Amino acid sequence: MKVITIFNNKGGVGKTTSAQNIGAALALYADQRTLIIDLDQQANLTMGFGIKKDLPKNAASFILGEASLAETKVTYKDKIGRAHVWTPSH
């Protein structure tokens, strides 16, 4: 298992775009199982995959012990069947 982290305190440097494109490329072209974690309250990464951001179970539910990881991840089923997005809380 490999972990890729994209982090920068400054806004507007391409973190969300990079995470979405790297995650999608790994799932689609490299045929890798991919878990894309979106912990930003704005949920732009989640919405970028076309997933509603106001889900009943989300990353906060898992962190607080209120739900399992399986209950909180969403499979992106458009063209990338192997990518899972972990959504932020709202």
Side-chain angles (χ1 to χ4, degrees):
M1 177 176 70
K2 292 184 181 183
V3 176
I4 299 172
T5 303
I6 300 169
F7 176 83
N8 191 323
N9 285 332
K10 183 164 177 5
V13 295
K15 298 179 297 287
T16 299
T17 301
S18 296
Q20 184 174 11
N21 289 329
I22 292 167
L26 287 171
L28 186 60
Y29 299 114
D31 198 32
Q32 298 290 315
R33 289 180 22 183
T34 307
L35 176 61
I36 303 161
I37 300 173
D38 183 2
L39 294 178
D40 189 335
Q41 289 292 318
Q42 293 178 336
N44 289 330
L45 181 58
T46 299
M47 292 185 300
F49 279 103
I51 299 169
K52 291 177 10 179
K53 65 180 183 178
D54 296 320
L55 299 171
K57 305 238 177 174
N58 50 47
S61 303
F62 172 76
I63 292 169
L64 294 172
E66 298 169 354
S68 70
L69 179 60
E71 291 176 301
T72 60
K73 72 180 180 179
V74 177
T75 302
Y76 179 71
K77 295 183 178 180
D78 187 9
K79 295 180 182 176
I80 308 169
R82 295 174 64 93
H84 301 279
V85 179
W86 203 36
T87 63
S89 64
H90 272 65

